[in-house]
Amino acid sequence: MMEWAKQSLKKVEASRPVRLDQPAPLPNSDQAEALLKKYHPDYLGHERRLEIGPNAGDQKFPLELADLLEGDSPVEPEYIPQPDIETDVLILGGGGAGATAALTLEGSGLSVCLATKLRLGDSNTVMAEGGIQSALGVQDSPRRHFADALVGGHGENDPDLLRILCEQGPESIRWLSQLGCLFDQNEEGKFSLRGGGGTSVPRILACRDYTGLEIMRVLKDAVRLTGTQLLEEHVAMELVDDGKGRVTGAILFDRKAGKKVCVSARAVILATGGSGQLRLQGFPTSNHVGATGDGLILAYRQGCCLTHLDSYQYHPSGACYPEALAGQLVTEAIRSLGAQVVNVNGESFISEMAYRDVLAGAIIKETQEGRGVVTPNSKIGVWLDTPMVDLKNGAGELARQFPGLIHRFSRYDIDPAKLPILIYPTLHYQNGGICVDKECRTDVAGLWACGEVTGGLHGRNRLMGNSLLDITVFGRKSAESVLRNIPERGAVTLSHLQKFRAEREKIEGETLSPKFFPDVSKMKLKPASFEKQQEEKSLSSNFEPPNPFNF
Ligand code: MEZ
């Protein structure tokens, strides 16, 4: 297998004994900065300022996102919202943060409605592999966790949010365990803790390499047992307001019925997740198909400030070969157990435990300077020397710790315990997002936000495992704050949209936003019925399946 890379694979194998004894060093701060400035996609000027809305004229946004933030709503100007559903709390988003908020509200006496554009659980949460951080180790503490995350975030994390995250870590693990989440334990029955890029002590709990899937499994099962009204395949098109600046619900699009549904709510929690499927600069992504940044657009139109959205996380180890796996996550945990990052000549050029942004920059540099490995389809990457995990930890360790990885690659006749795998940075996480306070309140009354859609917590570079903790801690916080502060029911209008439309008259172009689904998925707001799809397939002689690549 991978005959085309035979020469390079020989060099990788030959250099293993030396690399085992002499791993590449971590870059110093000058080297790290130089790598970021010259090679990291955030620093290449693919961004612009906005002309309208609360962030107009200040920070820059990636071009793809800027166009959507200034786009027009798909809701027709003549539409007059009339509530079809009344609920106390409307949660938008069916991933980990939204599910956690719903569970926290259970039993409070408030009615809760959770709307998700796909199915409950379809989210970046399930894509998270390597683990969740919590200061549970003997030499660890929330302060140490705080310090590590602050350095990793380039000192730009919101200290109040970060403090809450770190302090609430142990309690969140207890909560998830009580719900039934089975974190890996050692022989003494204690949680196994792994290290990660930027953690000064082992702090990452995992469920092998499917941690997010396991967490979402228990959250999803638990939500289905609550009184939460679930609206699956309901796409959030627009938020509604009371005409005096308070959010009072949302207009959804019921994909099955093919019609709008207006929900009146006393409080709305936005938990719509990230935006990796915008595939900035043509990068592949590790994100699930719904991650198109919808919540950012809806909140921005209401007047919410956004922060740090010029900062995205490109996970250094996205799969690069075989192409069917392109962009999929190869968990950082593999690197923390010893897999090294190696170029075409079998040389280890940077410590695999460098911060994610720096490591991504170093990999891009290596490929741009001719030391990458070129696939038969002209994709380029570097090796992640996975057999080193067994060399360092004993035979069978890779398969024991990373069954998901073995399963995915074995379908293409690649055994990562025997052969290295080819990687390239993949768009993984939206570091920035909607500004929130310690209670997850946005700038606009009636609207709370939690999870990846928010910004500030992780600064400019999130550490591994802090996003699964984020959704747990702040999913709960947002719901607790709603419980304390829920307003009375208000009128349902689109007056903010009228104001936004007046402001956007100066914007050229006809972009409609949110995007809802990535172009490559060919998914539509209103899906064609199954029969119609079959009919279209048989009528069209040149029918092609969706192309999962966009780079
Ligand atoms: O938090 C993450 O992004 C994570 C755990 C990713 C991974 O490498 O597994």
Short mmCIF file of all heavy atoms in Angstrom, two decimals, residues 128-131 313 315 329-333 356 428 462-467, ligand 1:
data_model
loop_
_atom_site.label_atom_id
_atom_site.label_comp_id
_atom_site.label_asym_id
_atom_site.label_seq_id
_atom_site.Cartn_x
_atom_site.Cartn_y
_atom_site.Cartn_z
N ALA A 128 -15.43 15.44 17.89
CA ALA A 128 -14.28 15.64 18.78
C ALA A 128 -13.76 14.28 19.24
O ALA A 128 -14.52 13.47 19.74
CB ALA A 128 -14.68 16.49 19.98
N GLU A 129 -12.47 14.07 19.07
CA GLU A 129 -11.94 12.73 19.32
C GLU A 129 -11.15 12.62 20.62
O GLU A 129 -11.43 11.81 21.48
CB GLU A 129 -11.03 12.33 18.14
CG GLU A 129 -11.78 12.19 16.85
CD GLU A 129 -10.89 11.81 15.68
OE1 GLU A 129 -9.71 11.49 15.90
OE2 GLU A 129 -11.38 11.82 14.54
N GLY A 130 -10.14 13.49 20.74
CA GLY A 130 -9.07 13.23 21.70
C GLY A 130 -9.36 13.45 23.15
O GLY A 130 -8.65 12.94 24.01
N GLY A 131 -10.39 14.23 23.52
CA GLY A 131 -10.65 14.34 24.94
C GLY A 131 -11.19 15.66 25.43
O GLY A 131 -11.49 16.56 24.66
N GLN A 313 -8.85 27.94 14.07
CA GLN A 313 -7.87 26.91 14.37
C GLN A 313 -7.78 25.91 13.21
O GLN A 313 -8.79 25.31 12.84
CB GLN A 313 -8.26 26.17 15.64
CG GLN A 313 -7.22 25.15 16.06
CD GLN A 313 -7.37 24.77 17.51
OE1 GLN A 313 -8.23 23.97 17.83
NE2 GLN A 313 -6.54 25.33 18.38
N HIS A 315 -6.31 22.58 12.55
CA HIS A 315 -5.74 21.45 13.30
C HIS A 315 -4.61 20.87 12.47
O HIS A 315 -4.79 20.56 11.29
CB HIS A 315 -6.85 20.41 13.52
CG HIS A 315 -6.51 19.37 14.53
ND1 HIS A 315 -5.51 18.44 14.34
CD2 HIS A 315 -7.06 19.08 15.74
CE1 HIS A 315 -5.46 17.64 15.40
NE2 HIS A 315 -6.38 18.01 16.26
N LEU A 329 -10.34 14.53 11.07
CA LEU A 329 -9.43 14.71 12.19
C LEU A 329 -8.61 13.44 12.47
O LEU A 329 -9.14 12.34 12.49
CB LEU A 329 -10.28 15.04 13.42
CG LEU A 329 -9.53 15.44 14.68
CD1 LEU A 329 -8.74 16.71 14.44
CD2 LEU A 329 -10.52 15.65 15.82
N VAL A 330 -7.31 13.64 12.67
CA VAL A 330 -6.46 12.59 13.23
C VAL A 330 -6.02 13.15 14.58
O VAL A 330 -5.25 14.11 14.65
CB VAL A 330 -5.23 12.32 12.32
CG1 VAL A 330 -4.33 11.29 12.96
CG2 VAL A 330 -5.69 11.88 10.94
N THR A 331 -6.55 12.59 15.63
CA THR A 331 -6.49 13.28 16.92
C THR A 331 -5.07 13.61 17.39
O THR A 331 -4.13 12.83 17.21
CB THR A 331 -7.20 12.46 18.02
OG1 THR A 331 -7.03 13.14 19.27
CG2 THR A 331 -6.67 11.05 18.16
N GLU A 332 -4.97 14.76 18.02
CA GLU A 332 -3.71 15.22 18.62
C GLU A 332 -3.20 14.22 19.67
O GLU A 332 -2.00 14.14 19.93
CB GLU A 332 -3.98 16.58 19.27
CG GLU A 332 -2.81 17.19 19.97
CD GLU A 332 -3.10 18.61 20.45
OE1 GLU A 332 -3.88 19.33 19.80
OE2 GLU A 332 -2.53 18.99 21.48
N ALA A 333 -4.13 13.47 20.25
CA ALA A 333 -3.72 12.51 21.30
C ALA A 333 -2.69 11.52 20.76
O ALA A 333 -1.85 11.02 21.51
CB ALA A 333 -4.95 11.78 21.81
N ARG A 356 -0.93 24.20 18.45
CA ARG A 356 -1.55 23.82 17.17
C ARG A 356 -1.28 24.82 16.05
O ARG A 356 -0.99 24.43 14.92
CB ARG A 356 -3.06 23.69 17.35
CG ARG A 356 -3.46 22.43 18.02
CD ARG A 356 -4.95 22.29 18.08
NE ARG A 356 -5.27 20.99 18.67
CZ ARG A 356 -6.49 20.60 18.97
NH1 ARG A 356 -7.52 21.38 18.74
NH2 ARG A 356 -6.69 19.41 19.49
N HIS A 428 -10.57 23.49 11.74
CA HIS A 428 -11.09 22.67 12.84
C HIS A 428 -11.99 23.44 13.79
O HIS A 428 -12.98 22.91 14.27
CB HIS A 428 -9.88 22.10 13.59
CG HIS A 428 -10.23 21.19 14.72
ND1 HIS A 428 -11.00 20.06 14.56
CD2 HIS A 428 -9.90 21.22 16.05
CE1 HIS A 428 -11.12 19.43 15.73
NE2 HIS A 428 -10.49 20.14 16.65
N ARG A 462 -7.22 27.78 20.78
CA ARG A 462 -7.78 26.92 21.83
C ARG A 462 -6.90 25.69 22.04
O ARG A 462 -6.40 25.11 21.08
CB ARG A 462 -9.19 26.48 21.42
CG ARG A 462 -9.86 25.57 22.42
CD ARG A 462 -11.22 25.15 21.92
NE ARG A 462 -11.14 24.44 20.66
CZ ARG A 462 -10.82 23.15 20.54
NH1 ARG A 462 -10.52 22.43 21.61
NH2 ARG A 462 -10.78 22.58 19.35
N LEU A 463 -6.75 25.30 23.29
CA LEU A 463 -6.03 24.06 23.57
C LEU A 463 -6.95 22.87 23.39
O LEU A 463 -8.16 22.95 23.66
CB LEU A 463 -5.49 24.05 25.00
CG LEU A 463 -4.42 25.06 25.37
CD1 LEU A 463 -3.81 24.69 26.72
CD2 LEU A 463 -3.34 25.17 24.31
N MET A 464 -6.35 21.76 22.98
CA MET A 464 -7.09 20.50 22.83
C MET A 464 -7.90 20.21 24.09
O MET A 464 -7.41 20.36 25.20
CB MET A 464 -6.06 19.39 22.64
CG MET A 464 -6.61 18.02 22.83
SD MET A 464 -5.27 16.84 22.68
CE MET A 464 -6.19 15.33 22.74
N GLY A 465 -9.13 19.78 23.89
CA GLY A 465 -9.94 19.33 25.02
C GLY A 465 -10.68 20.44 25.75
O GLY A 465 -11.50 20.17 26.63
N ASN A 466 -10.41 21.69 25.40
CA ASN A 466 -11.13 22.76 26.09
C ASN A 466 -12.46 23.08 25.43
O ASN A 466 -13.25 23.85 25.98
CB ASN A 466 -10.27 24.03 26.16
CG ASN A 466 -9.37 24.03 27.39
OD1 ASN A 466 -9.55 23.20 28.29
ND2 ASN A 466 -8.41 24.93 27.44
N SER A 467 -12.74 22.52 24.25
CA SER A 467 -14.05 22.81 23.65
C SER A 467 -15.13 21.89 24.23
O SER A 467 -16.25 22.34 24.49
CB SER A 467 -14.00 22.68 22.13
OG SER A 467 -13.66 21.38 21.78
O1 MEZ B 1 -10.35 19.65 21.40
C1 MEZ B 1 -10.00 19.22 20.29
O2 MEZ B 1 -9.94 19.93 19.31
C2 MEZ B 1 -9.54 17.84 20.19
C3 MEZ B 1 -9.65 17.00 21.40
C4 MEZ B 1 -9.03 17.42 19.04
C5 MEZ B 1 -8.21 16.23 18.84
O3 MEZ B 1 -7.11 16.37 18.33
O4 MEZ B 1 -8.63 15.13 19.18
#
